């Protein structure tokens, strides 16, 4: 049994590589791309409150975690977390942050941080629809 575990342990350690660590290597920006980070744009085109400059970013030099955004439903073949703000009337009920199955499992809260998880606040100060208490957690 020990001989089987050793190769598995080595494979697990070797496969850890240079992945970004949640949340230390991530950054939320509501004011454009962040220097020193690779980013994906988080855009809800139906929302008029400056969502065109919002980005979820990870530190340059870390491997791309494969995160994708979609503002009109899940992305097939990916694990998706619904990003919803029920107090915002601008179609925030069909937005998803999706990751490959090897990436972290995210949880979303529009009512404060989730106990026992590490969270990154998504704050859009220009949007008056209660975005001050929204968190992406893992």
């Amino acid at each position: 049994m020990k001989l089987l575990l050793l190769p598995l342990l080595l494979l697990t350690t070797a496969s850890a590589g240079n992945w970004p660590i949640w949340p230390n290597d991530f950054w939320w920006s509501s004011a454009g791309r962040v220097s020193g980070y690779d980013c994906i744009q988080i855009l809800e085109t139906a929302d008029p409150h400056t969502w065109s400059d919002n980005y979820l970013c990870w530190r340059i030099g870390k491997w791309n975690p494969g995160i994708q955004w979609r503002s009109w439903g899940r992305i097939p073949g990916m694990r998706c977390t619904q990003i919803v703000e029920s107090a915002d009337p601008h179609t925030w009920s069909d937005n998803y942050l999706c990751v490959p199955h090897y990436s972290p499992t995210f949880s979303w809260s529009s009512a404060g941080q989730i106990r026992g998880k590490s969270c990154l606040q998504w704050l859009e100060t220009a949007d008056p629809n209660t975005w001050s208490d929204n968190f992406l957690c893992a």
Side-chain angles (χ1 to χ4, degrees):
M1 188 68 160
K2 289 181 183 179
L3 292 176
L4 293 175
L5 289 178
L6 183 58
L8 180 61
L9 177 63
L10 292 174
L11 177 62
T12 303
T13 303
S15 64
N18 199 25
W19 291 106
I21 305 298
W22 180 265
N24 301 355
D25 292 324
F26 288 83
W27 192 273
W28 168 259
S29 172
S30 62
R33 292 182 180 272
V34 179
S35 178
Y37 286 80
D38 289 319
C39 305
I40 61 161
Q41 186 177 28
I42 306 298
L43 176 63
E44 172 51 76
T45 57
D47 195 324
H49 298 106
T50 72
W51 278 90
S52 61
D53 63 351
N54 289 263
Y55 291 87
L56 177 61
C57 306
W58 57 93
R59 196 176 308 278
I60 285 179
K62 300 292 183 175
W63 292 341
N64 182 334
I67 299 171
Q68 294 184 38
W69 172 257
R70 191 183 234 179
S71 61
W72 66 90
R74 296 176 180 272
I75 298 174
M78 300 188 85
R79 189 175 58 243
C80 299
T81 302
Q82 187 176 19
I83 308 299
V84 62
E85 174 50 81
S86 57
D88 194 323
H90 301 105
T91 71
W92 278 97
S93 59
D94 60 350
N95 296 279
Y96 288 88
L97 187 71
C98 300
V99 296
H101 291 283
Y102 57 78
S103 287
T105 299
F106 289 118
S107 300
W108 175 256
S109 171
S110 61
Q113 295 188 49
I114 299 171
R115 184 182 306 248
K117 294 188 179 263
S118 297
C119 300
L120 185 66
Q121 186 176 22
W122 283 28
L123 177 61
E124 174 49 82
T125 56
D127 194 326
N129 296 299
T130 72
W131 278 91
S132 61
D133 59 352
N134 291 267
F135 289 86
L136 183 66
C137 305

